[in-house]
Amino acid sequence: MVLEHLNQMGISYELEEHEAVYTIDEMDSLGIGRGGEVVKNLFLRDAKGKRHFLVMIQKDKSADLKRLRGELDSTALSFGSQERLLKYLGLEKGAVTPFGVLNDPAGAVEVAIDRDLVGNPRLGVHPNENTATVWIGYENLKKALEASGHPIKTVTV
């Protein structure tokens, strides 16, 4: 579905297939990311579970959830459960990706990207499964996500 979406939009990308990976460390051990910036994706929820967020950050960064809360104008943030991840994005733990929003036609999940990733010509994200990495430029990723009805908010993590 992800590759079809990109192809239909005429968006250029490269696909790198590999064994299943569940963490950034596993990706590093396989050498994935030597030619680009692997993106760490966080699935978060607000205190009441009414708002959900997919936040993209550099793989070596840690998110300051208190700061992010202010940037997103949200109540306290915590990580969403596996059940919520499956319900809202149709994804399994270890395969969180911004392309999960293609499974969210209602637009229930808000998308945010760390300023440090803006303009990057080669970002690595899973295509809704953790056995491949799609290499795509920031502008093309933004275009693909916004076409699905998910505008991107830029934040400082």
Side-chain angles (χ1 to χ4, degrees):
M1 176 178 159
V2 171
L3 302 182
E4 288 176 22
H5 179 72
L6 296 175
N7 291 335
Q8 286 175 353
M9 293 189 67
I11 291 176
S12 63
Y13 63 91
E14 292 175 41
L15 182 68
E16 180 180 354
E17 295 181 347
H18 48 73
E19 64 186 64
V21 290
Y22 296 90
T23 66
I24 294 293
D25 288 340
E26 288 178 10
M27 292 184 81
D28 286 345
S29 72
L30 291 177
I32 301 165
R34 289 189 183 135
E37 177 81 44
V38 171
V39 176
K40 186 188 310 184
N41 300 284
L42 310 175
F43 179 64
L44 305 172
R45 57 168 277 190
D46 71 355
K48 294 194 178 202
K50 296 198 184 280
R51 291 176 69 195
H52 296 84
F53 305 91
L54 183 98
V55 181
M56 296 173 274
I57 65 175
Q58 289 177 313
K59 71 173 187 167
D60 297 324
K61 282 182 117 176
S62 295
D64 178 343
L65 296 185
K66 286 184 181 179
R67 178 186 184 125
L68 195 53
R69 169 188 178 176
E71 295 255 347
L72 296 172
D73 192 28
S74 174
T75 56
L77 296 171
S78 61
F79 288 91
S81 66
Q82 172 61 50
E83 292 77 21
R84 285 176 187 268
L85 180 61
L86 190 58
K87 176 181 177 181
Y88 289 100
L89 296 178
L91 299 174
E92 299 288 331
K93 187 176 178 183
V96 180
T97 170
F99 288 127
V101 299
L102 298 177
N103 299 327
D104 176 33
V109 178
E110 300 172 50
V111 179
I113 188 166
D114 183 30
R115 289 186 202 306
D116 290 340
L117 295 174
V118 172
N120 192 307
R122 192 165 162 85
L123 297 173
V125 296
H126 291 311
N128 288 354
E129 55 188 55
N130 61 357
T131 56
T133 298
V134 170
W135 293 102
I136 188 169
Y138 168 78
E139 292 301 328
N140 282 338
L141 178 61
K142 181 179 176 187
K143 180 179 172 183
L145 299 179
E146 288 178 339
S148 74
H150 292 82
I152 294 177
K153 179 175 177 102
T154 306
V155 296
T156 300
V157 177

